[in-house]
């Protein structure tokens, strides 16, 4: 099958992100305790789809030349996502043994080090957003970086990803669609939505080479929010569907765990076909929101479709 233009762009942005993360590991983590650095790098450089940072850079590029902090915003989003996966795999959470076909972090480095690596990645994300200590940013750039920190903190904390994880660990949670929607809009959707909004914030709308992002675009922010929330939900529904039909080899981890645990998922609550239909409805919502940002279908439209068409 021929590679589509949006896929070429996705691959290029993913390679850029991979290079930035590797540089981070080789420079900043070179000063950290060796075992901690190894533990952090084990998960951070483990590949993956890099959906969130690609979305961040994709929205920024769609609106104007990239500001330097756009790359740091993309890295920060991926660091937070990586920390969440490390903690999510722990015995006190999902107790998973495989992630992307490899032993999970705590299986290699132990539970204590995995917890500390996750803590460090979360903290390092905000250090990246704040910028280097030696720099003397303008007031405008400082305000911009503060906005990015605000977006990420709101998505990662008690009202976002962590709060969603709490709802997910409730053994008595009801098998109701409303509960599922609230849970996954927080646990999965909040960080994806933040990645999109952070891309809008980090776009250089004035077209200059400095920190010329003096006026935010409310229409673009709303479009990014609608798109991100819809793609996040579609992505989660697809995950639930893949847990039913995909092979462990394709997923890089055991499948069928949700059903075995009696956990309420979208196919369990709605039925397989209705869950598929809901995922497609969310993709349609995401595509409709893009018109003010991407008039012709490109990277962002392709990523919305990828959320439900992927095989792992």
């Amino acid at each position: 099958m021929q590679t589509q233009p949006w896929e070429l762009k996705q691959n290029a942005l993913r390679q850029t992100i991979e290079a930035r993360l590797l540089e981070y590991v080789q420079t900043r983590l070179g000063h950290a305790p060796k075992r901690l650095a190894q533990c952090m790098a084990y998960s951070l450089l483990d590949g993956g789809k890099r959906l969130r940072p690609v979305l961040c850079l994709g929205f920024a590029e769609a609106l104007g030349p990239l500001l330097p902090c756009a790359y740091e915003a993309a890295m920060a989003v991926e660091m937070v996502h990586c920390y969440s996966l490390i903690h999510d795999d722990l015995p006190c959470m999902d107790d998973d043994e495989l992630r992307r076909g490899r032993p999970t972090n705590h299986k290699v480095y132990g539970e204590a080090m995995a917890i500390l690596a996750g803590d460090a990645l979360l903290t390092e994300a905000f250090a990246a957003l704040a910028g280097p200590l030696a720099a003397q940013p303008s007031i405008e750039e400082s305000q911009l970086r503060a906005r990015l920190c605000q977006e990420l903190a709101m998505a990662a904390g008690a009202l976002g990803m962590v709060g969603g994880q709490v709802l997910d660990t409730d053994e008595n949670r009801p098998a109701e669609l409303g509960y599922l929607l609230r849970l996954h809009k927080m646990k999965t959707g909040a960080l994806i939505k933040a990645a999109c909004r952070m891309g809008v914030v980090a776009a250089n709308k004035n077209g200059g080479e400095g920190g010329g992002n003096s006026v935010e675009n409310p229409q673009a922010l709303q479009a990014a929010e609608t798109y991100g929330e819809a793609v996040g939900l579609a992505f989660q529904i697809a995950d639930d569907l893949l847990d039913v039909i995909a092979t462990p080899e394709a997923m890089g981890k055991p499948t069928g765990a949700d059903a075995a645990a009696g956990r309420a998922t979208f196919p369990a609550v709605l039925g397989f076909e209705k869950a598929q239909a809901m995922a497609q409805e969310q993709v349609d919502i995401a595509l409709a929101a893009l018109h003010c940002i991407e008039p012709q279908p490109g990277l962002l439209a392709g990523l919305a479709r990828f959320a439900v068409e992927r095989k792992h």
Side-chain angles (χ1 to χ4, degrees), residues 146-157:
R147 279 284 292 113
L148 291 169
C149 286
Q150 180 187 44
E151 290 283 347
L152 187 56
M154 290 297 292

Side-chain angles (χ1 to χ4, degrees), residues 111-124:
E111 292 179 39
M113 188 58 67
I115 292 170
L116 292 170
D119 292 345
L121 283 166
L122 174 60
T123 310
E124 287 292 317

Side-chain angles (χ1 to χ4, degrees), residues 256-272:
D258 291 333
R263 190 174 294 133
T265 63
F266 285 100
V269 171
L270 295 174
F272 197 89

